[in-house]
């Protein structure tokens, strides 16, 4: 997918909502546990109920790996289901990988080629040669961690690093890497006041924004400071949508929560 | 496993060698490709041939994930094989994970509990709450990236961060985290001259040292600057050992390469 196609979907759906598929068997409706693949059944129902309200789905790989081979199988089925039935949806493997060059190339193959996600989240700590193998994949996107939504973001990311904060150093340095046009960035909604500064460095890039909902970030603030003339935001909610109900109505309730967010987004876009 | 047990194995085997199991189907002996699970067959043969020369095995998860479910299955079989047959061996899931707290807890479950590795490598970028869920696991170790072996290490890790280089900030800050006694660190062999400074901050911790062999680091230099009175080093070699031959003699040749390293180590431990 290209960013032009993504923008066109945002305009069409009046939504820049990403839904996080972080499926914990302890939190899904108990009646699904009888299914052969409860994680996939849960995801399928969520996707069926919300796909016209969201422009992206973001499965977090941790929640699949926690169930071993069964979990990996659920991940394969989930991404295949989206790609087959909703090819217009932007897919994000929230994997936060990053390793030396030949190893990052293996992760890029796994997520962007074999599983065929449109994008993957990557940690910047190991620098250029750990990220460029992901960037080399055409029409695929590497979503680099810049300023994350958690409290630990203040441990290192906001520390002054050579005259500017580390996350700014990450933003600026990453722009010099090969195929940097394939970069997007993670900036947490809980850090909305930082968006103005961030937009000075990366005015045109898409930013994936976790932390609205369960983590407490404000959609209005994120949009006020972070939106650009092509929207440039994918605002993610995971737990606030997918765990709206633990009953048989879970998909319907998830749709209601997604609709609330989509309506707020339509209002902002309007 | 405890560090006391690990140290006792090092003394017994006169070795602090870790062997990286980074299995690429394009690089293993062609005759193995007929096997039902070539990756596991390769690993099993390498382990059988080298287990009395090495104190640790380090499968890199990227090389398994690159083969999807089959790869994950090979990883499960490999770690189970080591745990069943060589419980004295220290096992490292080289996964370089790290995410917000509830997600890191899922990764900790996957690698330290379900797969039952002794340790897992973790990236520090997201700070305290992304690492502490790993540290909470008793008698398990979190190997935090500090100064990596690749060239990209100079992009951010060595940048001045509030009066000291970022990797030093990572070392110092991590010591304040809960259960920090369960920390080990990654420092690349290609950065041997940094070990003196690093040992001032973490005199007692074990350091996992990749980058000897294919990446060009020197064992002598690493030991000169990095060894402490309990050895405190796990020096890893991957490609230099496991791909010593592409013939039917691959395990024997891998053993020869491992033996060379073990003999150098025995001499140093002397």
């Amino acid at each position: 997918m290209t960013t032009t196609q993504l923008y066109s979907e945002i305009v069409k759906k009046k939504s820049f909502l990403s839904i996080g598929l972080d499926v914990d068997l302890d939190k899904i409706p108990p009646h699904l546990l009888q299914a052969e693949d409860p994680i996939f059944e849960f995801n399928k129902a969520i996707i069926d109920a919300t796909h016209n309200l969201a422009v992206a789905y973001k499965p977090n790989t941790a929640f699949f790996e926690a169930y071993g081979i069964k979990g990996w199988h659920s991940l394969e089925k989930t991404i295949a289901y989206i790609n087959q039935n909703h090819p217009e949806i932007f897919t994000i493997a929230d994997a936060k990988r990053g390793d030396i060059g030949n190893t990052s190339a293996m992760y890029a193959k796994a997520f962007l080629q074999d599983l065929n996600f449109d994008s993957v989240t990557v940690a910047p700590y190991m620098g250029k040669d750990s990220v460029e193998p992901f960037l080399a994949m055409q029409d695929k996107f590497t979503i680099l961690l810049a300023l994350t939504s958690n409290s630990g973001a203040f441990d290192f990311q906001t520390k002054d690093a050579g005259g500017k904060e580390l996350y700014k150093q990450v933003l600026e340095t990453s722009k010099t890497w090969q195929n940097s046009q394939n970069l997007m960035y993670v900036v947490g909604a809980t850090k909305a006041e930082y968006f103005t500064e961030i937009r000075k460095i990366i005015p045109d890039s898409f930013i994936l924004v976790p932390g609205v909902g369960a983590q407490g970030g404000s959609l209005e603030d994120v949009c006020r400071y972070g939106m650009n003339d092509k929207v440039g935001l994918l605002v993610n909610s995971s737990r606030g949508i997918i765990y709206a109900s633990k009953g048989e109505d879970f998909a319907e309730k998830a749709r209601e929560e997604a609709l609330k967010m989509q309506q707020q987004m339509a209002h902002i876009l309007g």
Side-chain angles (χ1 to χ4, degrees), chain A:
Chain A
M1 188 179 289
T2 64
T3 49
T4 308
Q5 290 171 310
L6 176 57
Y7 175 63
S8 134
E9 280 301 305
I10 290 172
V11 171
K12 200 167 92 186
K13 289 179 173 169
K14 294 185 177 58
S15 167
F16 43 98
L17 177 63
S18 162
I19 297 179
L21 301 173
D22 302 353
V23 186
D24 183 336
L25 290 183
D26 293 337
K27 289 185 184 156
I28 70 174
H31 74 275
L32 286 180
L33 298 176
Q34 318 303 325
E36 196 203 322
D37 186 344
I39 297 178
F40 174 67
E41 291 305 324
F42 180 82
N43 286 342
K44 184 175 172 300
I46 296 285
I47 293 161
D48 287 346
T50 60
H51 67 87
N52 59 350
L53 301 171
V55 294
Y57 288 107
K58 181 178 76 65
N60 187 309
T61 54
F63 290 81
F64 297 86
E65 292 185 5
Y67 301 106
I69 288 173
K70 280 194 76 158
W72 198 266
H73 195 53
S74 304
L75 178 64
E76 282 192 0
K77 283 162 71 180
T78 300
I79 180 65
Y81 184 79
I82 301 170
N83 282 338
Q84 278 159 27
N85 297 283
H86 307 291
E88 76 286 359
I89 294 265
F90 185 75
T91 52
I92 304 163
D94 195 2
K96 299 188 176 71
R97 299 298 198 266
D99 207 313
I100 63 170
N102 72 318
T103 307
S104 272
M106 285 290 186
Y107 282 128
K109 172 188 182 297
F111 291 108
L112 300 178
Q113 190 175 305
D114 297 349
L115 291 173
N116 201 16
F117 277 92
D118 292 310
S119 66
V120 59
T121 58
V122 172
Y125 191 73
M126 293 181 68
K128 173 175 163 149
D129 59 285
S130 73
V131 182
E132 285 188 340
F134 294 98
L135 291 172
M137 307 285 247
Q138 215 181 353
D139 292 334
K140 300 285 182 175
F141 295 88
T142 304
I143 311 182
L144 198 64
L145 302 186
L147 187 59
T148 56
S149 59
N150 62 328
S151 61
F154 298 111
D155 283 338
F156 308 118
Q157 297 167 24
T158 56
K159 283 279 187 303
D160 185 272
K164 56 178 73 86
E165 291 141 301
L166 177 61
Y167 76 91
K168 288 187 185 171
Q169 190 87 49
V170 167
L171 293 170
E172 288 185 4
T173 303
S174 69
K175 287 170 69 177
T176 68
W177 295 341
Q178 200 160 19
N179 298 307
S180 62
Q181 75 281 3
N182 295 333
L183 278 169
M184 298 182 175
Y185 298 91
V186 172
V187 180
T190 51
K191 312 281 191 303
E193 68 275 21
Y194 292 79
F195 273 87
T196 311
E197 289 292 300
I198 287 168
R199 275 301 182 203
K200 288 182 190 161
I201 308 172
I202 48 152
D204 303 322
S205 304
F206 264 91
I207 301 177
L208 171 65
V209 188
V212 164
Q215 293 182 60
S218 147
L219 177 63
E220 289 71 21
D221 288 350
V222 167
C223 294
R224 182 174 309 128
Y225 302 117
M227 198 169 267
N228 65 21
D229 62 357
K230 289 279 193 295
V231 183
L233 296 173
L234 292 170
V235 172
N236 185 79
S237 176
S238 302
R239 289 169 274 174
I241 291 177
I242 68 175
Y243 299 135
S245 160
K246 227 180 156 165
E248 302 221 349
D249 63 349
F250 72 99
E252 192 185 319
K253 292 293 179 192
R255 182 181 166 79
E256 285 173 19
E257 291 303 316
L259 184 62
K260 277 184 213 164
M261 287 201 68
Q262 185 272 327
Q263 285 174 339
Q264 289 177 56
M265 289 173 173
H267 180 76
I268 291 167
L269 291 172

